[in-house]
Amino acid sequence: MKKVLAFLLFPLLTFAQEVDKKEWKQLFNGKNLDGWKVKIRNYDLNNNYGNTFRVEDGLMKVRYDAKAYPAFNERFGHIFYKDKFSYYKIAVEYRFVGDQAIEGPGWATRNSGIMVHGQTPESMGKDQDFPISIEVQLLGGLGKGNRTTCNVCTPGTNIVYQNKFDKRHCINSTSKTYDGDQWVRAEVTVLGDSAIIHYVNGEKVLEYLKPQIGGGNVSGHDEKLMAEVKLLKEGSISLQSESHPVDFRKVELLNLCGCTDPKASNYKSYFVKSDNTTCVYKKGKKK
């Protein structure tokens, strides 16, 4: 009898596994910067000054060659993916390498970030330092003491943390310190305007609510973008150039918004936001 049950259940289990297979989209193809837009402070959109963002050895690299950067001069940069997202998971695998650019600010040593729910690069001012966004701050250890990663910082934004409206620019996570040039996986679950959750190497390290426009710590932006305090439901995704060399070997996204009708062929049980206009049905099947 057990053998019969196992035989009958096997197709069902297989079907469930196929339905629930997570379809991560690779935003970085390992070959070039197709699908990405560069914005470096004091330069026009898509002027990748000094080849700051480049692809070598299958890695997306951020570099500051001495000829282009005899001094960093606050040329903060961001590389934006072409699409906006609302409900999703974004994951990057990163490492810090080498020495900081000459005259890079002290706080930016072994410092980068994933900017989520951001403004578009087209809407940034030429001299703007950071996009209005929520920053998942990536930090490397300094060889002594504790230095957490996957913290949250808020250029032009605010959040609710531990059930309180919190205007601090940065809040530390509970992660451990990652010294040296080891690879670290940072994963962020973004749930529209409700919650954002940070993970480091699979461990939850920070959670906060209600990301919204309205904070400080951003300059050179169009003041009209800050005229109305509003919750951030969607936005751009970008990676930072803050004066320390960093490598990204993976940048991938799992969309959490889609078809939630189990009758559809593209149904996924892990979707948390319904968009049944995307549902696909096999020929002859009823909706």
Side-chain angles (χ1 to χ4, degrees), residues 81 217 230:
Y81 190 67
N217 298 289
K230 61 180 179 180

Side-chain angles (χ1 to χ4, degrees), residues 140-148 176-179:
L142 301 176
K144 59 181 180 179
N146 296 323
R147 200 175 192 226
T148 58
K176 68 178 186 179
T177 301
Y178 293 89
D179 289 309

Side-chain angles (χ1 to χ4, degrees), residues 39 41-43 125-129 219-221:
K39 178 65 185 76
R41 188 183 190 189
N42 301 324
Y43 298 90
K126 185 174 182 178
D127 301 332
Q128 188 170 338
D129 48 5
S219 66
H221 59 288

Side-chain angles (χ1 to χ4, degrees), residues 192-211:
D193 60 7
S194 59
I196 299 178
I197 309 165
H198 300 188
Y199 300 85
V200 180
N201 290 343
E203 179 182 355
K204 180 179 173 181
V205 297
L206 186 64
E207 180 175 3
Y208 46 95
L209 309 174
K210 298 181 178 180

Side-chain angles (χ1 to χ4, degrees), residues 8 66 117 137 147 165 180 182 223 232 272 276 282:
L8 292 173
H117 272 356
Q137 185 188 51
R147 200 175 192 226
F165 186 72
Q182 62 182 303
E223 291 289 349
L232 291 169
V272 298
N276 285 350
K282 292 181 180 179

